[in-house]
Structure formats: structure tokens, C-alpha cells
Amino acid sequence: SQVVVHKGSPRGVHFRRAGPREKVYFKPDEVRACVVTCGGLCPGINTVIREIVCGLNYMYGVDDILGIVGGYRGFYSKNTVKLTPKVVNDIHKRGGTSLLTSRGGHDTIKIVDSIQDRGINQVYIIGGDGTQKGAALIHEEVEKRGMKVAVAGIPKTIDNDIAVIDKSFGFDTAVEEAQRAINAAHVEVECVENGVGVVKLMGRYSGFIAMHATLASRDVDCCLIPESPFYLEGQGGLFQFIESRMKENGHVVIVIAEGAGQEFVAQSIHDVNQKDASGNRLLLDVGLWLSHKIKREKEVYPIYVPCDDIDPTYMIRAIPSNASDNIYCTLLAQSAVHGAMAGYTGFTVGPVNGKHAYIPIARVTETQNTVRLTDRMWARLLSSTNQPSFLNSCDDILLQQERVDRDTVDMIHKMKITST
């Protein structure tokens, strides 16, 4: 059902609906826009770039659009490229980003100096959590200088871990492509005696891809995610489950998110607190570790692991977006264009309770979205795979859920959208 909350209502948290406005702040011939992509790759980035350019040109008649090459540092260290509908016409058919990308390189003063020097008055920033925090800093500096510049963020993360919004772009494509890896593992283990296949999927802090791919596949025996701790040995442990499932089916397929089980292997290789240029925790190869642990168990159980593990991460990140993500990326880009042309700034776009909205950037960077073990979707997965929860009681489940920011979760549950 459609939820409409009237202005002035005290109930819930309200965001302004995305879409075209009656009054346009910028005159088309005075607009100089720029688009930048930062962080890791994700299906759909090129579609967003294309639709920002085409949206500005077709809907508002804007001709002056620049592409910032190579992420944030491209503002002050690389040349720009001119973007036109003709230039971006077929980029959505290719994976990656036509503007190139990089991690880190955010220097607020240098970036805003470049925006000022180039006469840019609309900035479209495509990137994940760290990128959007950078966008918020750019917005603050622009306001401090009194510049009439609209800063619009398009949130990007393949892991679906951005708070507030219903879903991030590229997620559907990632889940769909993950099926190919799961199917490959299933074929491998079916063709040997007592085969165990380990598939490592994306999910640094959140197990959404692993959970949804598992639910969609029906070939997975056990799904391991960062939000749900597991253990290997003893009653109710993973090894016992593998043994019992092996007796039933003669083979086992395990899906593990890259951020799961890090506590088991962290100290043996390097400091768990090391970070990459984007500030993300550097992860150990938990898929390889788990495969080796299972191989050692073959002295106890006659287990064969046909390959160390299947890691389709970079295959998934690099493919073009599928049909549903293409449509979704179009809506995100057009929403961003409408918002910037109306004079809004310091906002990001995305669907909230099924309605596209303008959201203050700070709202989506406050915390990360994670799988709630007490929600129905995880219960559905446990029912589908019939795997152990690796927890002894409901109290344990609730204890683990304290890792989730409850305030943000409650905010999302109570959220209503203002119809304007």
C-alpha cells in the first residue's frame, strides 16, 4: 500500500520525494556539471554515468558536462573529459567505469579549489561509504565559501550495506552472477566422492550477497556470514554438519562471505586493523583458510575438496548490470539530476520504503546496514538450507544482534516518506 505522510505530521522520519520540481534553480546554459566515480567497481556505474549525462542534456538542455578521470584525486591531478550523450551512448554495455576510479586521494581543499577554478556548479559523486563521507566534506567546504554549487551523491556498494536505502545498485546483478559460481562448485562436488565446494562471495561487513545467493540457488548446504559467528569443531559445529550432510547427499557446498570468520585467521597472517586506501579493513582469504581446514579433516572424515575455493569476486564486480539494475540506475541518476537542477545540495538518492527520496548524506554514512539474525530473511535461509545456527539459544542471537546499530534499524522500520 502507498504510505503518504502529510507535512507537519509528527510521526516518523521524513525525506523529500525525489523527482522533477516546478521551479528550477539553475538556468541550463549556466550549468557546468561534473561526474566522478570513486572506490571499487560495481555493476551499473557506467549506466549511472550515462543517465546523468543524458538526463542533464535531454531533460534540461545542459551541454557543459565534465568527467573527472580517476576518482577524487582526478579533480587536482588529471585532465577532465567532456561528456555528451554521444560519448556515453553505449558505455552501459560495458562493466567497470569509463571515467576510471581510485581509492583514497580525497583532499577537500584541493578538490573544492578545482571546482571553483573550473567554474563547476553541479557535482555528481558516485561511490560508497567513504566516498559519500568525502562528498559531505566537499558540501561543507562549498557552503563555507558561499559557493552556489549543488553536491549530489549516488550511493554505490555491491555489498548492499548502505543504511536507510532499500537496496544499492549492482546488488541484483551480483546475486545473479554469484549463481554461476555456486553452480560451478555444485557440479564439481557432484562429480567426485565426498566432495566439498567452498564459494567465497563479497561481503566485507554484511552478508547480504551470500544470503540472497544462497536462498536463490538451492544448491547450497551452508551459508556463513560476518553477522553470524560460527565454529568448526564439537557438537553443532561446521565439521559435524559437513559429516552429516555428506552421509545424506554425498557432497557439500558452502558459501562464505569474505568478512566471515576473520577472527579465526587474523593473527596468523597480519594485523587485523590494517586498512586499504579507502579506510576499509584488509581481509584475509577466509575461503582458502576454510578449504585448508576442511582438507585437514579428511584424516577423520573421507572428504575431497576438488579446488581450494571458488572466488568469483572480481568477475562479479566487473560485469555490466542486468536489466533490473539498469532500470534502477536510471532512476537514481534521474533523481540526482532533478534534485541538483532544483537547487538541492548535500543529498544522496535512493529508494526508502519503495519510494525514491532525497536523503541528507550524513544519514547514509552514520552506520552500515547488516543482516539481522532476528529478521525473517535469515530465518528463511536457515529453513531452506537446514544448517545449524551455530548459536545455542535465542538469548545468544539477541546478543549477537547488539553489533547492529539499533537506532538506525528502528529509524528505518518507523520511516515514512513525505509526499510533496
Side-chain angles (χ1 to χ4, degrees), residues 55-78:
L56 281 167
N57 188 267
Y58 296 158
M59 294 188 294
Y60 291 97
V62 173
D63 292 317
D64 195 356
I65 309 167
L66 300 175
I68 306 297
V69 178
Y72 273 136
R73 60 173 53 90
F75 275 101
Y76 52 85
S77 66
K78 290 185 183 293

Side-chain angles (χ1 to χ4, degrees), residues 189-190 192-197 221 238-254 294 298 301-306:
V189 299
E190 267 193 324
V192 296
E193 190 176 357
N194 294 333
V196 178
D221 294 285
L238 183 62
F239 288 152
Q240 185 186 68
F241 173 74
I242 290 173
E243 183 185 18
S244 66
R245 191 57 60 93
M246 196 72 75
K247 287 176 182 175
E248 284 180 47
N249 300 334
H251 59 267
V252 174
V253 175
I254 298 168
I294 292 170
K298 68 183 178 183
Y301 316 127
I303 288 172
Y304 172 69
V305 183

